[in-house]
Amino acid sequence: MHSLPPGAILMLGAPLLPFLLEGAAARLPAPADPELRAPAPSASAARDSSLELFGQTLVPIRIDRLALVWGHVFHIAAMLGALYALRVDDRVQQTAAPIYAGSAIAAAFAGDLLTLFVYWELTAVSSVFLVWAGRSLFGERSLRAGMRYLIIQVTSGVLLLAGAVMHVADSGSLAFDHLGLVSPGTTLIFLAFGMKACFPLLHNWLQDAYPESTPSGTVFLSAFSTKLAIYALARGFAGTECLIWIGAIMTAFPIFFAVIENDLRRVLAYSLNNQLGFMVVGIGVGTELALNGTAAHAFAHILYKGLLFMSMGAVLMRTGTIKASELGGLHKSMPWTTVFCIVGALSISAMPLFSGFTTKSMIITAVGDHHLLWVFLVLVFASAGVVDHSGIKVPFFTFFAHDSGRRVKEAPLEMLIAMGITAALCVAIGIFPAPLYRILPYDIEYHAYTGGHVVGQLQLLFFAAMAFAILFRSGLYPPEVRSRNLDSDWLYRKLAPAMLRPVVAGCGAIDGAWRSARAAVATRGGALIARVCGPRGFLGGAWTTGGAVVWISVVLLGFLLAYYRH
């Protein structure tokens, strides 16, 4: 059993789940992998399992403290997601979700680039079925979004494979350790990770696909793909300076789109992109505190973002809509879901006593220690923006604001239990962060609850909330209207079709002309053959004996001339 990579039980057992058992037990993932029950290695120690293949050393299993952070939280997310989806009666989702979770777990423990590539692509192929499963709610929208999602994800894998091949040619090694931007191969690998981490202009597959999935599918999607990319960047490109500025841009630009977005799951998708930016900044800084902050924030983010998607999924299931313009007043009929959503909102807002405060502050502190003033100011601005669009907008327009008149049932018990456990973890990490700090990659002293941190964050929260209240009461806050906003996806959903339309029309015209010319030639050729070889034609008619003898003589003469010529 110890030779199996972590996540293998989920992947191997997933195809059998819909058939083995009936009821709830069939939809729960297998117990945590044996490797993860072992004590965590020290900061410098690691355990590897290697093999030789075609002259290269493959490391299917590499266990160290960096990988263990993601391994633990991926297992927690898989269990909570399965509990949330307990009532899902869809064999496609029952099979795809464990494979997706298992492949992400296995990828986090991959010690070489080839093994990483295999699981990287498996996460893409398995997760697209969760997007396509949304066809039951959104019809063709989900199918088209899933196809665009698959193209982006597979392209990321192709770049990873191409970069790995070039890197092996340059270095002779497949080892997945620190790579750095030192060659064309590592640059391709960097872009592959960046596509999945939602770098600017490469990000919109997230906002395009995640909101088109089912309520439970979006919970799984929010946990694995992007956080696996963050892990890969932390493993391969820690300290790469350009990541600081890439991450800073990632934290800022989604705010403007989230504020004007009407679909609340798209709002959460934009805020997911925003939070990834904090992690990318931490990787770019590359100090022990920054990398600890990235790992801790990824851990906390998977939980509170999953909680927010869980609450919005429950609202979608009960009301049939997730548009802010069509919701409001649901706290009267969904009080528990309201409470759990508020816990998630306070966590993502980094309110003291909630998880975001004890993890995000590590990254911001590391940036301050690095004397990156402008980046620090961008992160502060982005933190205020998060309070606005995810901390206030999502729960306010869903459960309060105007009363939409909808009176629905509370979320099913299984969903409430999953949300309750996740909310409890968000509060526990906020109040008692020490257990999380102990499993981080580096042993360093950090105290989140200092006077400066607490007072500064409370001031930020107060001014962000006051700004929202003033803008909303004065009518200056962007109204919630029934519309769909495009950002970088305008390039391939509007501009590209507009540019390709004349090309396609021209190719169609050329093809039509060619077909017409070919048909005309065929018609005329057929008529000529009919005239020559038909019953009344020269070759098809009856010949006299003398005429036949003449033509036979001509043919024989031709053969004789050809023979004597040679």
Side-chain angles (χ1 to χ4, degrees), residues 39-109:
S42 65
S44 59
R47 289 182 288 148
D48 297 345
S49 174
S50 61
L51 56 92
E52 296 293 325
L53 182 67
F54 302 120
Q56 291 290 334
T57 301
L58 301 184
V59 186
I61 306 173
R62 189 250 316 275
I63 300 178
D64 60 11
R65 289 181 62 169
L66 182 64
L68 278 170
V69 175
W70 270 263
H72 287 310
V73 73
F74 278 173
H75 273 86
I76 294 171
M79 293 293 292
L80 292 173
L83 178 59
Y84 181 82
L86 206 58
R87 290 201 178 196
V88 172
D89 189 16
D90 180 353
R91 289 187 175 184
V92 172
Q93 293 186 74
Q94 292 171 8
T95 303
I99 294 176
Y100 178 38
S103 57
I105 292 167
F109 290 95

Side-chain angles (χ1 to χ4, degrees), residues 12-299:
L12 296 175
L16 304 176
L17 287 179
F19 306 99
L20 288 179
L21 299 171
E22 293 292 334
R27 301 172 188 122
L28 288 171
D33 291 291
E35 295 283 5
L36 296 184
R37 300 195 196 107
S42 65
S44 59
R47 289 182 288 148
D48 297 345
S49 174
S50 61
L51 56 92
E52 296 293 325
L53 182 67
F54 302 120
Q56 291 290 334
T57 301
L58 301 184
V59 186
I61 306 173
R62 189 250 316 275
I63 300 178
D64 60 11
R65 289 181 62 169
L66 182 64
L68 278 170
V69 175
W70 270 263
H72 287 310
V73 73
F74 278 173
H75 273 86
I76 294 171
M79 293 293 292
L80 292 173
L83 178 59
Y84 181 82
L86 206 58
R87 290 201 178 196
V88 172
D89 189 16
D90 180 353
R91 289 187 175 184
V92 172
Q93 293 186 74
Q94 292 171 8
T95 303
I99 294 176
Y100 178 38
S103 57
I105 292 167
F109 290 95
D112 66 88
L113 293 171
L114 182 59
T115 303
L116 176 68
F117 164 75
V118 171
Y119 294 127
W120 193 268
E121 290 293 73
L122 188 55
T123 60
V125 174
S126 57
S127 60
V128 73
F129 288 99
L130 298 177
V131 180
W132 283 334
R135 68 189 183 278
S136 60
L137 295 172
F138 308 111
E140 289 296 319
R141 274 172 40 196
S142 294
L143 297 178
R144 291 193 295 268
M147 186 57 66
R148 292 190 292 267
Y149 170 87
L150 183 61
I151 291 171
I152 296 295
Q153 297 295 305
V154 171
T155 300
S156 172
V158 170
L159 290 175
L160 173 57
L161 180 60
V165 171
M166 296 173 66
H167 179 64
V168 171
D170 290 337
S171 67
S173 173
L174 272 172
F176 180 34
D177 294 313
H178 187 271
L179 301 172
L181 291 174
V182 296
S183 69
T186 57
T187 301
L188 288 180
I189 295 172
F190 181 79
L191 290 175
F193 294 167
M195 289 184 75
K196 220 159 194 169
C198 298
F199 282 3
L201 300 182
L202 302 175
H203 68 283
N204 204 255
W205 60 266
L206 192 156
Q207 290 83 20
D208 184 19
Y210 281 18
E212 305 301 335
S213 182
T214 61
S216 58
T218 305
V219 173
F220 277 98
L221 290 167
S222 70
F224 298 109
S225 290
T226 52
K227 260 61 75 186
L228 175 60
I230 293 297
Y231 164 79
L233 285 170
R235 173 73 68 183
F237 296 95
T240 302
E241 187 173 351
C242 66
L243 286 174
I244 298 174
W245 302 103
I246 291 173
I249 295 171
M250 289 172 64
T251 63
F253 81 86
I255 294 173
F256 303 100
F257 291 101
V259 167
I260 63 175
E261 179 58 55
N262 189 37
D263 186 315
L264 293 176
R265 293 205 299 178
R266 281 174 63 86
V267 173
L268 293 179
Y270 276 115
S271 72
L272 196 161
N273 205 163
N274 160 278
Q275 296 295 289
L276 293 173
F278 284 89
M279 303 172 208
V280 171
V281 169
I283 295 169
V285 173
T287 61
E288 291 186 353
L289 176 61
L291 292 175
N292 270 6
T294 296
H297 199 49
F299 192 107

Side-chain angles (χ1 to χ4, degrees), residues 387 392 459-473:
V387 177
I392 299 177
Q459 288 178 338
L460 179 72
L461 293 170
F462 173 76
F463 284 112
M466 185 174 63
F468 178 88
I470 293 173
L471 291 173
F472 182 77
R473 298 294 294 180

